[in-house]
């Protein structure tokens, strides 16, 4: 600990609800609305959903509690957290992989897709429906990403908006924005669901989504579900560790984690409910992969009455979801610069922001074909390294550290020094010691193909 001065200066969340909104804001993102539904479409519908729920409960949630506990005990950004705990310096590796993968690499490509959401809100109002009606939503998307300057423009715009919020700090910037954006997101989602499930022919989509056919399960289903659960809950990249460091000592960590993971899962499930009935009702296929949101859905909206409004609302929803997540990623980089290099928040924000924007440029242009790394587009390569290598390494080490090397302190932290009853303590211990490390090691091994 560096004396009471630095502790006194450390920011904290303004309220419990504000903190949960911010953590849920980080978790709820493109992963829930863009990635989760397309994985459901690709991996066999409801059976994937069941696997996803089980994994989130027994692996994702326990690791989230562990990350919050480390963060709150250390009161530091991930890179310095383990030093502050006084443990073997080896464990700082968790902080470094998280900060590099989350604060820098993930954010650099997350911005690019975040930029697409702004482009699509504007396009929805300026003719996207006509284009999609003529069957051209795929070529529209291809044309857009093929023109690098436009993609870069929106990427930078998205990043500037993110920076504009994060400059306000933890409680006055991030927390305040999330307290408005998350409820708004929820209301938009409900409007879209009502529209979707009341379309004639929606039942086929509901059946696909809610009626599990376990014969469709494959090894890939488990792999995708585990990777998605970690990505969706913002785990393994130092985010929840950083957010944990701003939590007050009296806060109930397991309950806050359950709220965060519960809201995240709820929004992913609702996104499917908004999307699949409409996709089926309009006669489209759910298995179009990453193009589901940006290619299939505009075509679906174009066939609906008042499609412009629903298209605009959907991409606005995607934008809100993305921006609250990118704030959390940027906060990791900013907290790192403030604590490691003793910068002011402003200086940290500008310098980290510029680095991240520059890192995002090759990701943005790579969609048009250049640059590539060993045959993969730069953006796909960075995403691969983050999601398939650094994220599993970070979360594996985190579970092993807490489960095997820091358990008594973790229990003290989670129970607020014994003042709090945690009914599932033994299940949690079992999950962080055995279930999570074994499962993560398995996805890491099985997911390693370039
Ligand atoms: N959880 C966010 C989503 O589902 O889109 C994305 C994300 C944010 C992933 C932060 C990882 C992270 F550290």
């Amino acid at each position: 600990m560096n004396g009471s001065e630095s502790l006194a200066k450390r920011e904290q969340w303004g309220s419990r609800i504000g903190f949960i909104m911010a953590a849920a804001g980080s978790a709820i993102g493109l992963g829930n609305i863009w990635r989760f539904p397309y994985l459901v479409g690709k991996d066999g519908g409801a059976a994937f959903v069941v696997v996803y729920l089980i994994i989130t409960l027994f692996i994702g949630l326990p690791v989230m509690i562990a990350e919050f506990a480390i963060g709150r005990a250390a009161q530091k950004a991930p890179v310095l957290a383990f030093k502050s705990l006084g443990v073997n310096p080896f464990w700082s590796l968790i902080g470094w992989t998280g900060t590099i993968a989350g604060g820098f690499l993930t954010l650099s490509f997350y911005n690019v897709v975040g930029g697409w959401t702004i482009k699509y809100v504007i396009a929805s109002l300026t003719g996207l429906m006509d284009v999609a009606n003529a069957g051209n939503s795929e070529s529209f998307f291809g044309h857009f990403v093929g023109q690098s300057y436009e993609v870069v423009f929106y990427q930078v715009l998205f990043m500037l908006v993110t920076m504009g919020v994060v400059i306000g700090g933890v409680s006055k910037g991030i927390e305040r924005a999330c307290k408005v954006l998350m409820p708004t997101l929820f209301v938009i989602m409900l409007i879209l669901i009502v529209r979707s499930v009341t379309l004639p022919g929606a039942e086929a989509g509901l059946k696909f989504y809610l009626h599990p056919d376990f014969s469709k399960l494959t090894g890939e289903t488990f792999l995708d579900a585990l990777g998605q659960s970690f990505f969706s809950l913002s785990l393994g990249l130092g985010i929840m560790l950083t957010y944990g460091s701003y939590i007050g000592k009296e806060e109930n960590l397991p309950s806050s984690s359950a709220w965060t993971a519960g809201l995240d899962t709820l929004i992913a499930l609702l996104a499917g409910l908004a999307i699949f009935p409409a996709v089926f009702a309009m006669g489209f296929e759910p298995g179009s992969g990453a193009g589901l949101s940006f290619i299939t859905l505009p075509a679906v909206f174009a066939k609906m009455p008042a499609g412009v409004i629903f298209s605009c609302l959907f991409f606005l929803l995607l934008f809100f979801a993305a921006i609250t997540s990118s704030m959390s990623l940027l906060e990791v980089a900013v907290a790192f610069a403030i604590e490691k290099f003793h910068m002011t928040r402003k200086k940290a924000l500008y310098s980290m922001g510029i680095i991240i924007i520059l890192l995002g440029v090759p990701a943005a242009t790579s969609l048009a074909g250049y640059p590539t790394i060993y045959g993969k587009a730069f953006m796909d390569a960075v995403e691969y390294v983050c999601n398939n290598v650094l994220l599993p390494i970070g979360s594996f080490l985190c579970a092993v550290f807490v489960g095997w090397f820091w358990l008594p302190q973790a229990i003290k932290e989670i129970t607020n020094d014994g003042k709090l009853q945690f009914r599932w303590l033994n299940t949690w211990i079992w999950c962080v010691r055995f279930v999570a490390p074994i499962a993560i090691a398995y996805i890491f091994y099985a997911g390693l193909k370039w």
Side-chain angles (χ1 to χ4, degrees):
M1 209 79 45
N2 287 344
S4 54
E5 198 200 345
S6 60
L7 266 186
K9 270 198 266 162
R10 194 173 184 78
E11 269 205 82
Q12 280 203 353
W13 303 107
S15 65
R16 173 176 159 81
I17 184 83
F19 153 58
I20 291 174
M21 285 296 126
S26 168
I28 297 167
L30 295 168
N32 303 58
I33 299 164
W34 170 54
R35 204 158 178 264
F36 178 79
Y38 91 62
L39 288 177
V40 174
K42 173 172 102 54
D43 284 331
F48 173 84
V49 178
V50 173
V51 174
Y52 178 82
L53 291 178
I54 295 172
I55 286 177
T56 297
L57 190 61
F58 289 103
I59 303 175
L61 179 58
V63 173
M64 183 184 284
I65 297 175
E67 278 203 27
F68 279 149
I70 298 173
R72 188 175 68 172
Q75 295 284 304
K76 287 269 177 264
V79 163
L80 299 173
F82 296 87
K83 195 168 161 211
S84 157
L85 294 179
V87 297
N88 189 314
F90 165 79
W91 298 109
S92 292
L93 190 62
I94 301 176
W96 281 103
T97 55
T99 304
I100 292 168
F104 294 93
L105 298 179
T106 299
L107 183 52
S108 72
F109 71 77
Y110 204 81
N111 271 336
V112 177
V113 184
W116 298 356
T117 64
I118 304 181
K119 160 79 182 175
Y120 268 69
V121 172
I122 297 170
S124 298
L125 296 168
T126 53
L128 176 63
M129 293 299 96
D130 296 335
V131 174
N133 231 341
N136 294 330
S137 60
E138 188 161 3
S139 56
F140 178 87
F141 180 72
H143 183 73
F144 165 57
V145 297
Q147 277 184 330
S148 300
Y149 66 90
E150 219 192 332
V151 183
V152 171
F153 171 79
Y154 284 109
Q155 169 226 340
V156 174
L157 183 62
F158 183 85
M159 185 63 186
L160 291 179
V161 179
T162 307
M163 289 166 69
V165 176
V166 174
I167 200 159
V170 174
S171 77
K172 295 216 180 69
I174 299 174
E175 180 174 345
R176 199 188 269 175
C178 290
K179 268 166 85 177
V180 176
L181 291 177
M182 297 321 285
T184 313
L185 176 145
F186 194 70
V187 172
I188 297 179
M189 183 69 97
L190 292 183
I191 297 173
L192 290 171
I193 292 172
V194 171
R195 171 67 284 192
S196 179
V197 299
T198 52
L199 286 167
E203 303 78 36
L206 285 174
K207 178 153 185 264
F208 170 80
Y209 188 47
L210 300 176
H211 208 276
D213 173 359
F214 289 107
S215 68
K216 288 188 179 163
L217 290 186
T218 63
E220 200 174 323
T221 315
F222 287 88
L223 223 65
D224 281 349
L226 197 53
Q228 170 63 13
S229 179
F230 273 78
F231 183 78
S232 188
L233 296 172
S234 299
L235 298 175
L237 300 179
I239 310 284
M240 294 308 180
L241 209 152
T242 307
Y243 273 21
S245 74
Y246 305 128
I247 304 178
K249 284 289 178 200
E250 67 299 333
E251 191 60 70
N252 182 332
L253 294 183
S255 144
S256 303
S257 309
W259 270 102
T260 305
L263 287 172
D264 182 63
T265 307
L266 177 71
I267 294 292
L269 293 175
L270 292 181
L273 207 54
I275 290 173
F276 292 114
V279 167
F280 277 80
M282 296 303 174
F284 289 93
E285 282 295 317
S288 59
L292 182 63
S293 286
F294 293 96
I295 295 171
T296 310
L297 284 184
V300 170
F301 293 128
K303 287 177 119 192
M304 283 180 190
V308 177
I309 296 174
F310 293 107
S311 177
C312 195
L313 280 177
F314 176 77
F315 288 109
L316 206 56
L317 171 82
L318 214 50
F319 169 68
F320 287 165
I323 199 90
T324 52
S325 297
S326 65
M327 289 171 203
S328 70
L329 290 159
L330 182 57
E331 179 59 27
V332 173
V334 168
F336 162 73
I338 292 176
E339 290 175 25
K340 183 83 185 158
F341 303 117
H342 309 289
M343 291 184 183
T344 60
R345 174 166 282 269
K346 238 188 205 155
K347 201 161 169 207
L349 188 96
Y350 292 141
S351 46
M352 296 303 113
I354 289 169
I355 293 174
I356 294 159
I357 286 177
L358 292 179
L359 272 174
V361 172
T365 62
S366 70
L367 301 165
Y370 185 81
T372 56
I373 298 182
Y374 291 109
K376 255 191 204 301
F378 186 87
M379 175 154 149
D380 295 338
V382 175
E383 186 189 351
Y384 178 90
V385 170
C386 288
N387 289 349
N388 295 37
V389 182
L390 297 173
L391 190 155
I393 290 179
S395 35
F396 174 83
L397 290 178
C398 195
V400 170
F401 170 68
V402 169
W404 295 95
F405 295 88
W406 194 66
L407 194 59
Q409 294 90 323
I411 293 173
K412 246 178 96 180
E413 192 63 41
I414 287 170
T415 57
N416 294 359
D417 268 336
K419 289 198 272 303
L420 207 111
Q421 272 277 13
F422 176 31
R423 234 187 321 152
W424 303 99
L425 187 63
N426 287 333
T427 316
W428 174 79
I429 293 174
W430 197 74
C431 288
V432 281
R433 289 195 128 190
F434 302 105
V435 184
I438 293 171
I440 299 166
Y442 170 70
I443 45 162
F444 181 57
Y445 166 75
L448 279 186
K449 26 182 173 26
W450 191 249

